[in-house]
């Protein structure tokens, strides 16, 4: 049994640990503990609760307002792993610069990043966004429609949602959707799938010289095997955009920008 003197000696150490890593404790509270409590009390997922807030407070057909309303919820109520405003600006800037016509998003989640991309796309561009979780996909569909991007409003900038595991849909993109190559790929799904899906895109010849792959969360929580491959395989030029975790300015994170150069 631990003596009171030994227990008291650990108090300064524990207090220092909590203070130094308080932002991670806060993230754990908001992303895990608070979520479980509210899931139980409301009977809804946090993604569904977020949609209810956005539907109540957002302006339909105004993408910027929908995004800012989403951000307000995430800053002040519950944490959601959207790309967020800081990284979202990097995503938008790259789309403005590269002017891609065929885009692939892996990890629709709640539709936040799909809306960010859709409002930035050229009028004749097409975004295919893939989500394996049916419940999250249902929220994303409603968010995308609420922002004004759907097949019924005459908008040329199309968003096509695909509910499927990424490794099952990537090999069949060409025959199912008539996509020859992707100009831009945004990865924001399970980090352990980044390398597998990048290699699937290569194996099925869905990348061309100049195709851009933007991968989120390569520092927190990290995708080390993906980054090691990107740096060593000789198929990509790469750089890291150093940012912060979405909605947590004191936790460092980053996005990896890869440009496909093919085999030399």
């Amino acid at each position: 049994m631990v003596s009171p003197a030994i227990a008291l000696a650990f108090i300064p150490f524990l207090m220092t640990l909590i203070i130094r890593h308080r932002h991670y404790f806060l993230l754990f509270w908001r992303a895990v503990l608070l979520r479980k409590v509210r899931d139980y009390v409301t009977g809804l997922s946090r993604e569904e609760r977020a949609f209810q807030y956005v539907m109540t407070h957002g302006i339909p057909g105004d993408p910027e307002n929908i995004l800012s309303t989403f951000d307000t919820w995430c800053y002040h109520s519950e944490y959601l792993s959207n790309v967020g405003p800081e990284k979202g600006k990097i995503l938008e800037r790259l789309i403005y610069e590269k002017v891609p016509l065929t885009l692939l998003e892996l990890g629709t989640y709640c539709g936040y990043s799909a809306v960010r991309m859709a409002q930035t796309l050229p009028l004749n561009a097409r975004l295919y966004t893939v989500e394996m979780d049916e419940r999250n996909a249902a929220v994303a569909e409603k968010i995308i429609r609420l922002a004004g991007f759907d097949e019924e409003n005459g908008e040329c900038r199309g968003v096509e949602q695909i509910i499927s595991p990424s490794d099952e849909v990537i090999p069949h993109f060409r025959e199912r959707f008539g996509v020859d190559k992707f100009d831009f790929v945004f990865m924001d799904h399970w980090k352990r799938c980044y390398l597998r899906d990048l290699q699937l895109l290569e194996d099925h010849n869905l990348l061309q010289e100049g195709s851009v792959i933007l991968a989120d969360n390569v520092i927190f929580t990290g995708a080390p095997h993906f980054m090691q491959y990107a740096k060593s395989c000789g198929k990509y030029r790469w750089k890291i955009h150093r940012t912060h975790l979405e909605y947590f300015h004191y936790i460092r994170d980053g996005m990896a920008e890869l440009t496909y150069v093919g085999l030399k």
Side-chain angles (χ1 to χ4, degrees), residues 7-20:
L8 286 172
F10 273 98
I11 291 177
F13 170 75
L14 291 174
M15 292 300 296
T16 300
L17 186 68
I18 291 172
I19 292 171
R20 180 173 298 174

Side-chain angles (χ1 to χ4, degrees), residues 160-215:
E160 182 155 351
Q161 191 174 6
I162 302 164
I163 305 173
S164 172
S166 54
D167 62 325
E168 293 181 11
V169 72
I170 289 174
H172 306 290
F173 248 104
R174 187 167 281 107
E175 57 265 34
R176 283 183 59 186
F177 302 101
V179 174
D180 184 42
K181 309 283 184 183
F182 286 110
D183 301 317
F184 193 98
V185 179
F186 179 50
M187 292 185 171
D188 196 14
H189 56 326
W190 292 107
K191 313 316 163 196
R192 65 176 181 267
C193 299
Y194 280 15
L195 176 57
R196 179 201 68 190
D197 290 347
L198 180 66
Q199 292 176 329
L200 279 174
L201 290 166
E202 295 172 357
D203 293 343
H204 292 276
N205 201 27
L206 288 167
L207 301 176
Q208 60 188 341
E209 186 174 353
S211 293
V212 172
I213 297 92
L214 184 66

Side-chain angles (χ1 to χ4, degrees), residues 2 28 35-36 42 46 66 73 110 149 156 161 180 199 211 225 232:
V2 179
F28 180 73
R35 171 189 182 178
K36 289 184 180 296
T42 66
R46 62 178 172 177
I66 296 298
W73 165 269
C110 293
F149 300 104
C156 296
Q161 191 174 6
D180 184 42
Q199 292 176 329
S211 293
H225 299 298
S232 63

Side-chain angles (χ1 to χ4, degrees), residues 44-231:
L44 300 172
S45 70
R46 62 178 172 177
E47 294 79 15
E48 290 167 329
R49 292 192 293 275
F51 170 71
Q52 287 188 341
Y53 180 87
V54 173
M55 183 175 63
T56 303
H57 296 85
I59 301 174
D62 185 338
E64 281 293 344
N65 179 267
I66 296 298
L67 293 171
S68 64
T69 304
F70 229 133
D71 291 334
T72 299
W73 165 269
C74 295
Y75 277 123
H76 301 294
S77 185
E78 294 184 66
Y79 174 80
L80 291 176
S81 55
N82 301 317
V83 70
E86 182 186 9
K87 296 175 184 174
K89 289 182 174 64
I90 296 172
L91 177 61
E92 291 176 349
R93 176 173 57 79
L94 287 175
I95 292 176
Y96 274 125
E97 290 175 356
K98 307 300 180 181
V99 198
L101 296 181
T102 52
L103 297 88
L104 172 64
E105 178 183 32
L106 299 177
T108 315
Y109 192 41
C110 293
Y112 179 99
S113 51
V115 171
R116 273 204 176 270
M117 287 189 279
Q119 68 172 353
T120 313
L121 294 180
L123 289 178
N124 56 341
R126 189 78 175 169
L127 168 62
Y128 300 88
T129 180
V130 179
E131 173 60 50
M132 65 177 293
D133 187 298
E134 293 185 3
R135 201 169 179 181
N136 288 344
V139 171
E141 181 182 6
K142 290 183 282 191
I143 289 290
I144 292 167
R145 286 181 176 273
L146 191 65
F149 300 104
D150 56 44
E151 297 297 331
E152 299 175 358
N153 69 350
E155 178 62 69
C156 296
R157 291 174 292 182
V159 178
E160 182 155 351
Q161 191 174 6
I162 302 164
I163 305 173
S164 172
S166 54
D167 62 325
E168 293 181 11
V169 72
I170 289 174
H172 306 290
F173 248 104
R174 187 167 281 107
E175 57 265 34
R176 283 183 59 186
F177 302 101
V179 174
D180 184 42
K181 309 283 184 183
F182 286 110
D183 301 317
F184 193 98
V185 179
F186 179 50
M187 292 185 171
D188 196 14
H189 56 326
W190 292 107
K191 313 316 163 196
R192 65 176 181 267
C193 299
Y194 280 15
L195 176 57
R196 179 201 68 190
D197 290 347
L198 180 66
Q199 292 176 329
L200 279 174
L201 290 166
E202 295 172 357
D203 293 343
H204 292 276
N205 201 27
L206 288 167
L207 301 176
Q208 60 188 341
E209 186 174 353
S211 293
V212 172
I213 297 92
L214 184 66
D216 194 13
N217 304 122
V218 296
I219 294 178
F220 185 89
T221 53
H225 299 298
F226 168 82
M227 288 307 305
Q228 182 180 17
Y229 175 79
K231 294 175 182 180

